[in-house]
Amino acid sequence: MRFKASTIFVTGGAGFIGSAVIRHLLRNTHARVVNIDKFTYAANSDSLPGTTDNLNYAFEKQCICDGAGLRHLFAKYQPDAVMNLAAESHVDRSIDGPGEFIQTNIVGTFTLLQEALRYWRTLSNEKREQFRFLHISTDEVFGSLGDDGFFTETTAYAPNSPYSASKASSDHLVRAWRETYDLPTLVTNCSNNYGPYHFPEKLIPHMIIKGLAGEPLPVYGDGKNIRDWLYVEDHAKALTLVLEHGTVGETYNVGGRNERTNLHVVESICDLLDEVAPRSGAHRDLITFVADRPGHDHRYAIDASKLERELGWQAEENFESGIGKTVRWYVDKQPWWRAILERGYATKRVGLSQ
Ligand code: NAD
Ligand code: DAU
């Protein structure tokens, strides 16, 4: 029985990946889930349908930088595991305002580690053995690849943006709390996620929403930068598997073996929109090349063979199946993203460092 009688803290559970993890845990395991989320602009309770009546679910509005607040929650719920997904996640925003990234991603992870350690030390030997702290990170900590090669778990860290530098720092803290204090931690580093409930600032939902509005589709630079796309529900399954069966102290790369140039991604979205939401001209006509992102990493590509080999994980979606599902989801679920626009989110360019 998966996670029977277990309580799992999911920080950032109202965000894109955190909400997918919570939906997956509630649907497929017996875990009691406590969603700990500060509820920033990126949070959305509409991404957790049906949770309010679920006896296995609790929500706590809580910033991970607040040690006293976290201490109270550890005492109240006595968790068996923590999955740390709370973060500032958008590279462009980190260019304009790195301070929040330093606070949440570094200071917040430090504070969460300290409170997890304080709580863990109060547990029985048996409970200490079973406790897990899983930190969710990104492939961006490894920097940028040339045209060949892949990121593995032993690739040296070389972050290039304020976002990725803050994530790299948090990864190092998690490792140090294991090495120094024996806290049972694990780290995952994942490539670009996409799928339902993705906040409209990120490439794929941004292009779908602008395409549906008949607005220009802004491709940074020449569109030849490459990302390695992973369907978010495949990621949620991978994280659950790592929590259940991963080896303490290890890191696991998660990726879907779906490298695509940004231009290919945008053209694919355009072609799908031509089918499901035709306009008078082709959606490709809306593609506009705009000024590049400062410090724009050229290519990310994950070698996920450790996760596949050791834990038996396999991505179920490839890019073509996943992008088709995603475009249809945004066309069908317009109230979900229109509510975000109505709350004041403007789909305008940020991150030019001006
Ligand atoms: P997101 O921006 O969609 O959601 C982040 C969530 O964290 C939001 O609900 C927000 O309210 C919450 N949060 C922010 N600051 C907080 C704080 N101080 N205290 C408590 N909660 C706070 O992010 P996401 O895309 O779901 O990413 C989740 C995690 O996965 C992040 O750590 C990110 O670095 C990592 N990651 C993301 C991707 C991706 O493609 N989206 C890929 C690899 C790794
Ligand atoms: O690789 C994992 C990372 O993927 C995560 O750690 C981050 O949290 C997540 O946001 C994502 O970072 P990226 O910077 O790769 O994602 P973003 O969606 O912002 O951009 C993807 C690519 O598309 C990138 O090369 C920049 C480009 N882009 C983006 C936008 C928003 C455009 O060309 N036009 C756009 O309008």
Side-chain angles (χ1 to χ4, degrees):
M1 295 277 197
R2 298 183 83 187
F3 301 117
K4 185 122 180 112
S6 294
T7 297
I8 302 177
F9 277 7
V10 178
T11 73
F16 170 48
I17 301 173
S19 67
V21 168
I22 291 179
R23 294 192 303 273
H24 176 70
L25 287 172
L26 292 178
R27 233 178 256 149
N28 301 294
T29 79
H30 296 272
R32 179 165 75 137
V33 177
V34 183
N35 178 4
I36 296 174
D37 198 299
K38 180 182 174 183
F39 235 74
T40 69
Y41 78 95
N44 197 334
S45 50
D46 296 341
S47 304
L48 291 161
T51 45
T52 34
D53 299 331
N54 192 321
L55 296 177
N56 276 341
Y57 175 79
F59 172 69
E60 295 283 354
K61 186 169 181 195
Q62 175 65 55
C63 175
I64 60 164
C65 302
D66 169 10
L70 290 174
R71 203 170 311 156
H72 168 72
L73 296 182
F74 275 104
K76 179 175 173 185
Y77 291 103
Q78 301 279 307
D80 301 281
V82 175
M83 299 173 86
N84 182 30
L85 294 107
E88 288 294 333
S89 69
H90 191 36
V91 173
D92 288 338
R93 283 181 192 254
S94 83
I95 295 167
D96 289 341
E100 280 295 307
F101 290 73
I102 303 303
Q103 280 307 315
T104 286
N105 299 359
I106 305 179
V107 179
T109 301
F110 157 72
T111 310
L112 187 62
L113 282 165
Q114 284 291 73
E115 294 308 325
L117 178 62
R118 181 194 298 271
Y119 161 75
W120 178 74
R121 284 176 164 165
T122 67
L123 298 176
S124 65
N125 283 346
E126 192 194 349
K127 283 266 183 194
R128 276 194 203 193
E129 279 281 311
Q130 290 163 357
F131 185 84
R132 295 288 181 271
F133 184 110
L134 172 56
H135 177 66
I136 285 70
S137 190
T138 170
D139 60 356
E140 298 198 13
V141 297
F142 301 123
S144 184
L145 289 166
D147 290 336
D148 303 314
F150 296 91
F151 297 134
T152 71
E153 286 78 2
T154 56
T155 301
Y157 275 35
N160 292 317
S161 71
Y163 162 71
S164 54
S166 70
K167 292 296 292 185
S169 175
S170 66
D171 294 7
H172 292 322
L173 291 173
V174 172
R175 175 188 160 88
W177 261 241
R178 156 80 186 147
E179 294 297 321
T180 305
Y181 307 112
D182 286 334
L183 186 70
T185 66
L186 304 99
V187 176
T188 54
N189 296 89
C190 184
S191 61
N192 285 62
N193 284 222
Y194 70 108
Y197 304 105
H198 205 180
F199 193 83
E201 67 193 349
K202 307 287 167 48
L203 176 74
I204 287 179
H206 193 67
M207 294 298 167
I208 299 171
I209 288 168
K210 282 201 167 283
L212 285 170
E215 292 175 12
L217 305 177
V219 174
Y220 299 173
D222 60 9
K224 290 188 180 146
N225 301 65
I226 292 171
R227 297 293 182 263
D228 184 359
W229 293 97
L230 177 67
Y231 197 66
V232 68
E233 290 171 11
D234 280 326
H235 188 196
K237 289 174 198 159
L239 295 179
T240 308
L241 209 53
V242 172
L243 189 68
E244 261 185 307
H245 300 298
T247 302
V248 167
E250 292 291 314
T251 72
Y252 296 88
N253 280 359
V254 192
R257 300 182 193 280
N258 280 295
E259 287 182 60
R260 300 288 184 279
T261 64
N262 291 339
L263 187 58
H264 177 88
V265 169
V266 178
E267 287 177 344
S268 304
I269 292 168
C270 288
D271 296 347
L272 286 159
L273 286 177
D274 286 348
E275 284 171 29
V276 295
R279 60 191 287 277
S280 53
H283 283 87
R284 284 190 186 213
D285 296 344
L286 300 171
I287 292 174
T288 311
F289 294 92
V290 298
D292 210 351
R293 170 186 280 176
H296 198 174
D297 286 336
H298 171 62
R299 173 173 169 256
Y300 306 142
I302 281 272
D303 176 355
S305 47
K306 178 176 172 181
L307 182 64
E308 293 163 346
R309 191 179 58 248
E310 295 186 7
L311 303 187
W313 175 83
Q314 279 290 329
E316 287 170 28
E317 302 292 341
N318 61 34
F319 182 72
E320 285 63 39
S321 64
I323 195 69
K325 280 188 180 181
T326 305
V327 170
R328 279 189 294 279
W329 190 89
Y330 277 86
V331 170
D332 292 344
K333 305 281 183 192
Q334 301 205 17
W336 182 85
W337 55 265
R338 287 199 187 279
I340 296 171
L341 304 189
E342 277 156 24
R343 285 198 286 272
Y345 172 71
T347 56
K348 65 176 178 22
R349 179 80 191 265
V350 295
L352 283 172
S353 182
Q354 285 163 343

